[in-house]
Amino acid sequence: MFKNSLAKGILSAVIMGTVLTSVPLYGNGLHNSKIVYAATKKVATCTVDKLKVRTDSGTEFAQLSSDGTMVYLLLNDKADVLGEKKDKSGVVWYKVRFLSNGKSVTGFVRSDFVKVSSENASTPSDNGKTNTRKTAGKTKKSSSIKETSKYSYKGEVKTKGLRLRTGVGTDKPQYKIGTAGVVLPNGQVLNITGEKNDAKKIRWYKISTKVNGKTVKGYVLSEFVKLSVDKKAPAYAKVTAKKGAVIKTKATAKGNEFKDSKGKKVVLAKNDIVSIFHEITLSDVKYYKVSFVISGKTYTGYLVASQVKLIGIVKDTPKADDTDNTGDNNDGSDDNSDDNANNDDNDDGNSGGVINNNNGKFVTQRAYITSDKVELYNEADYKADILKESETGIPYKLNMNQEVIARKQYIVGNEKWYLITYIVNDSTGKQVIGAGFVPEKYIKLSGEPVDDSTGSSNKKKISDKAFEKELAAEGFPEDYKPFLRVLHRVHPYWHFEARHLGLDWEYAVSRESVVGLNLLQNSSNYAWKSMEAKAYDWANDAFIAYDGSTWVTASNKAVRYYMDPRNFLNEDYIYQFELLTYKPEHHTEEGISAILGGPPMKDTTYDYIASDGTNKTISYAETFLLAGVYSGVSPYHLASRVKQEVAGAGRFSSSVTGTVPGYEGYYNFYNIGAYNNTAPGGAVASGLKFAANGSASKAVIGNKSFNDYIKIPWNNRYSAILGGAAFIGNNYILRGQNTPYLEKFNFTEKNTFSHQYMSAVFSPSSESMITKRAYAELKDEPLVFSIPVFQNMPPVISERPVDIPSPNNWLSSLQVTGYQLTPAFRPDTTEGYGLVVGKDVDVIEVTGKTANKKAVVNGFGQMKLTPGGVNVISISVTAEDGSVRTYKINVAKEG
């Protein structure tokens, strides 16, 4: 994930080639105390994006100006060094001269933001070989870096339970309190004080921590502990690999080698010292992200954790390195004041400033919270709702110095807001990854970019071994696993969660088979339709409609088939189990754009008037992302649903053109309230009427009425997309019905077996096919599927109903010509009918009609009566499927 972060570097001095250059090191409070150069003329090259030039040596002096314009050195700009001078804190400043707007200017710059070289010095050559750094400690060790074997770094347990042992190795006894062995839970904070390999060369951490108020010490496997390091609290390590440590630009096994300015691979030499500010494990390999120095310039990259060993550092840190006490933070200092972000445009060293790319677009970067108990909003607006736990209603709160990812910047009125992603533990201790908005005053940007897609390691392929562990941990039944393995092979980024419903299978089937609850078209075969009482009229061979004139009750077999998840664990139908809640670590603008496909929404922007009265331009992809934050609903699902509803055939339907007569300027992207009717304008008009007037609901969401919460009226595209998403989320998804399957079959604890979004029993599977087509351009995204698991499921997967002939063997009418049956005929009654004829009557004529035209009758026509006694006339009806039903009439002669 992204819980730990980039940091300032430390670091070891670097010697490249055959020329020794003593360079200043300013990172995390470490620096060299003396600078020596061989040549007489020196040139300073700016190493940061924007560096202030001051009138004298110190931040208390004014910035130099020329013709009324403030003077800066920009990245890679050069200046002649005329001398050097220390400020009152001991920081070295260079007096420099250079051309600014065509005029020669002279001023002072801090030495730690420029690289000084001799004008006539030749560049060291590596003779075309791999650039392997020699260790500064072997030649001239910096007086300000002293290694020590004593250290204590924070770490966190990253598994469900981690045994604490008294020694190194799984063969060593478990640490015990009384008679109970100590098992450290997930999230337990540890103090790491050493590390050691066991006989199998597996690394263990020596740790101390508290268990039930008692301090315990011992050893734990390092692979299950993550260092709690960040920019402000890095760990330090020394290269121990005999052939050095290969530096990568990404945490990968192959390729992505870090290269110097000459294009040569960089390998840190044995005993080189680095600072660790981030840790990540991919494919069971632990990587550290580290800071190191090449030719006086600090770089960052990844190395395999086993290539280094943790060490401690004794620091000798002059005050000059850390803080510019003027509070304007324009000379590379790291000011932690809350209002620091107001000076973003003047940050010389990009320390805590906003990064923008070459197009002026805000770049995703790590950031830190600057106050305690900071609440998050679902929009960049103080009137927006506070983000809360869905179950308890407790607000999420961030704490001082907590690391977050700043993904977007928004200007609302005169204030900046940031859309951030964050990690918190909810009231139950469960880790939650979320997204929300915070105002500028509560956040400090690090200036260190991260992957713009999510700011997390969401694009992680799941190995077969890890996948099997996930299946077991989730508790999937064995008969689910073969299907999931097939899906995993094709989609190694997908995640599968088991939703243990706690419902007995047969009980759930019986409740979902209630007449009128699950429907399908009357055109379906008899096998698919219920013939229970009130579902089917046997006498008239008619199925009773429960929606319109054509939707009838599904049979028990049909319900079983569509309810059984095992029937749909394949590429066509898996999407009915897609988790529809917003997952900021998985849902990206790039993914949304892929779902939107071509026209009319992909790579398309629109204008609207924001709540602060300003004109805004925004893309549809970004709008759906913000709708996900606002509503808590998956923006992939929202984009897919809108594409299905109003953007077919590459153009918008009239529901979202804003031009429908009588409803000009209104939009309904989800067709909410758009029902078929015979009123003028039909479904489109009814949907736009909802867009204008909203719901009659008196519910209050947060501190808003329901219509305010769903942003009624929908008189611009932005409000319509966010408000419609909130309607869908509040009514279903945030209630726990968070997959298309659960929207149809409500097996949640709230209103179980009712409050179902759609009545068609096949809706989840049919929508899955539509979603699959909508996702056609979505490549290798880590979708999450929540698959239901019932108790006592049958070992045999529920079969798809097989078409059958009609079983209707009823008569709809029965008569004896010239006589009245007693009692009157009822189609559901087969016996007890009687009549009396004259004593001279020898023949009667029996007539009637079958309920189903394909049924065959034996017993109609002229029937002879025997003299004396009672004659029993039997009329047998054979249904199309061969089943037989017999009606009987007792005929007696007078006398």
Side-chain angles (χ1 to χ4, degrees), residues 515-516 530-538 543-546 553:
V515 172
S530 174
M531 304 189 79
E532 299 291 327
K534 298 184 180 181
Y536 176 63
D537 180 357
W538 286 80
F543 289 89
I544 300 170
Y546 280 87
T553 303

Side-chain angles (χ1 to χ4, degrees), residues 621-879:
E622 184 175 356
T623 305
F624 283 112
L625 179 68
L626 297 180
V629 179
Y630 184 78
S631 66
V633 178
S634 160
Y636 288 3
H637 174 64
L638 296 174
S640 174
R641 179 166 287 190
V642 166
K643 185 177 179 181
Q644 296 168 33
E645 292 284 350
V646 299
R651 62 181 182 275
F652 280 131
S653 74
S654 57
S655 296
V656 292
T657 60
T659 61
V660 174
Y663 296 99
E664 291 88 349
Y666 291 100
Y667 305 84
N668 192 332
F669 278 84
Y670 305 92
N671 277 334
I672 294 170
Y675 59 91
N676 290 318
N677 60 79
T678 58
V684 170
S686 62
L688 292 176
K689 182 178 180 181
F690 185 94
N693 302 320
S695 168
S697 172
K698 295 182 180 179
V700 175
I701 311 297
N703 58 356
K704 298 178 180 178
S705 69
F706 186 72
N707 281 340
D708 284 344
Y709 174 68
I710 64 173
K711 294 184 173 294
I712 294 295
W714 294 341
N715 54 9
N716 63 64
R717 291 175 173 85
Y718 181 84
S719 294
I721 293 174
L722 266 69
F727 180 93
I728 294 169
N730 182 77
N731 283 5
Y732 291 93
I733 295 169
L734 300 186
R735 292 169 53 95
Q737 292 175 253
N738 52 14
T739 66
Y741 179 93
L742 289 177
E743 284 185 312
K744 171 66 201 91
F745 301 111
N746 183 12
F747 298 134
T748 70
E749 295 178 355
K750 296 180 180 179
N751 303 108
T752 313
F753 309 119
S754 64
H755 192 266
Q756 300 186 153
Y757 183 70
M758 63 282 279
S759 56
V761 70
F762 53 78
S763 285
S765 56
S766 62
E767 287 193 7
S768 181
M769 290 291 292
I770 297 172
T771 302
K772 180 187 178 184
R773 291 194 291 271
Y775 281 12
E777 293 187 38
L778 196 63
K779 306 298 183 184
D780 292 331
E781 287 297 322
L783 300 178
V784 181
F785 300 94
S786 179
I787 303 170
V789 177
F790 295 86
Q791 294 176 349
N792 304 316
M793 292 193 73
V796 178
I797 299 174
S798 303
E799 294 183 351
R800 180 184 177 90
V802 177
D803 286 0
I804 60 173
S806 170
N808 193 320
N809 51 17
W810 281 36
L811 291 176
S812 60
S813 64
L814 178 64
Q815 305 94 20
V816 177
T817 304
Y819 297 94
Q820 184 75 36
L821 290 179
T822 304
F825 175 73
R826 289 170 50 95
D828 60 338
T829 304
T830 58
E831 296 185 8
Y833 300 109
L835 60 87
V836 177
V837 298
K839 61 181 179 180
D840 297 328
V841 176
D842 296 325
V843 177
I844 61 173
E845 183 179 32
V846 180
T847 62
K849 186 178 180 181
T850 60
N852 182 270
K853 63 183 180 180
K854 293 185 178 181
V856 176
V857 180
N858 183 19
F860 281 176
Q862 291 189 340
M863 308 298 295
K864 289 184 178 182
L865 302 178
T866 61
V870 175
N871 289 262
V872 178
I873 307 299
S874 295
I875 304 99
S876 62
V877 184
T878 303

Side-chain angles (χ1 to χ4, degrees), residues 145-202:
I145 301 178
K146 295 180 181 179
E147 176 187 338
T148 174
S149 60
K150 294 183 179 180
Y151 58 82
S152 180
Y153 297 128
K154 295 292 184 184
E156 186 176 347
V157 174
K158 289 298 180 183
T159 188
K160 290 185 177 180
L162 181 59
R163 288 186 176 88
L164 177 66
R165 297 191 180 272
T166 57
V168 173
T170 54
D171 57 334
K172 297 300 187 288
Q174 192 172 352
Y175 189 102
K176 294 184 178 180
I177 297 179
T179 59
V182 172
V183 177
L184 304 175
N186 186 34
Q188 175 88 16
V189 176
L190 314 173
N191 293 314
I192 302 170
T193 57
E195 57 182 345
K196 188 177 180 181
N197 290 347
D198 62 18
K200 297 179 181 179
K201 297 185 178 181
I202 298 173

Side-chain angles (χ1 to χ4, degrees), residues 293-454:
V293 174
I294 296 179
S295 298
K297 190 169 182 179
T298 301
Y299 295 91
T300 61
Y302 292 88
L303 53 75
V304 177
S306 61
Q307 295 177 319
V308 297
K309 181 179 181 181
L310 295 175
I311 61 171
I313 290 291
V314 177
K315 306 176 207 176
D316 179 17
T317 309
K319 294 180 181 178
D321 282 337
D322 290 334
T323 309
D324 177 343
N325 293 317
T326 63
D328 63 0
N329 192 32
N330 297 320
D331 297 282
S333 60
D334 191 7
D335 183 358
N336 289 319
S337 63
D338 287 352
D339 59 355
N340 174 58
N342 293 325
N343 301 303
D344 289 340
D345 296 335
N346 296 318
D347 286 312
D348 298 346
N350 246 344
S351 178
V354 178
I355 305 178
N356 294 285
N357 64 16
N358 293 334
N359 297 320
K361 182 180 178 182
F362 180 79
V363 174
T364 301
Q365 56 193 280
R366 287 180 170 82
Y368 298 92
I369 299 301
T370 60
S371 183
D372 272 329
K373 299 181 180 179
V374 172
E375 294 180 324
L376 300 111
Y377 297 83
N378 64 359
E379 274 193 293
D381 187 342
Y382 286 112
K383 296 179 181 178
D385 287 330
I386 301 295
L387 293 177
K388 300 176 181 179
E389 298 177 16
S390 59
E391 293 296 325
T392 65
I394 298 173
Y396 291 118
K397 293 184 180 181
L398 306 181
N399 295 319
M400 173 78 79
N401 295 327
Q402 180 170 342
E403 182 189 315
V404 297
I405 302 298
R407 296 181 63 180
K408 287 185 176 294
Q409 180 190 82
Y410 294 88
I411 308 296
V412 180
N414 296 319
E415 188 170 12
K416 292 177 183 175
W417 288 71
Y418 293 96
L419 172 60
I420 67 167
T421 47
Y422 58 90
I423 295 179
V424 295
N425 289 327
D426 66 14
S427 57
T428 68
K430 180 182 177 181
Q431 190 179 81
V432 175
I433 301 174
F437 290 88
V438 294
E440 178 187 42
K441 62 185 178 183
Y442 294 129
I443 192 170
K444 178 179 175 61
L445 303 177
S446 73
E448 300 169 40
V450 296
D451 178 4
D452 189 48
S453 63
T454 62

Side-chain angles (χ1 to χ4, degrees), residues 195-197 200-205 222-223 227 237-246 270 276 279-281 284-290 302-310:
E195 57 182 345
K196 188 177 180 181
N197 290 347
K200 297 179 181 179
K201 297 185 178 181
I202 298 173
R203 185 161 298 187
W204 293 68
Y205 284 145
S222 65
E223 66 178 294
L227 284 173
K238 179 172 67 176
V239 177
T240 56
K242 293 181 180 179
K243 294 183 180 180
V246 178
K270 186 177 181 181
I276 303 168
E279 176 186 311
I280 186 172
T281 299
D284 299 326
V285 177
K286 181 181 287 192
Y287 296 87
Y288 292 144
K289 192 164 190 181
V290 300
Y302 292 88
L303 53 75
V304 177
S306 61
Q307 295 177 319
V308 297
K309 181 179 181 181
L310 295 175

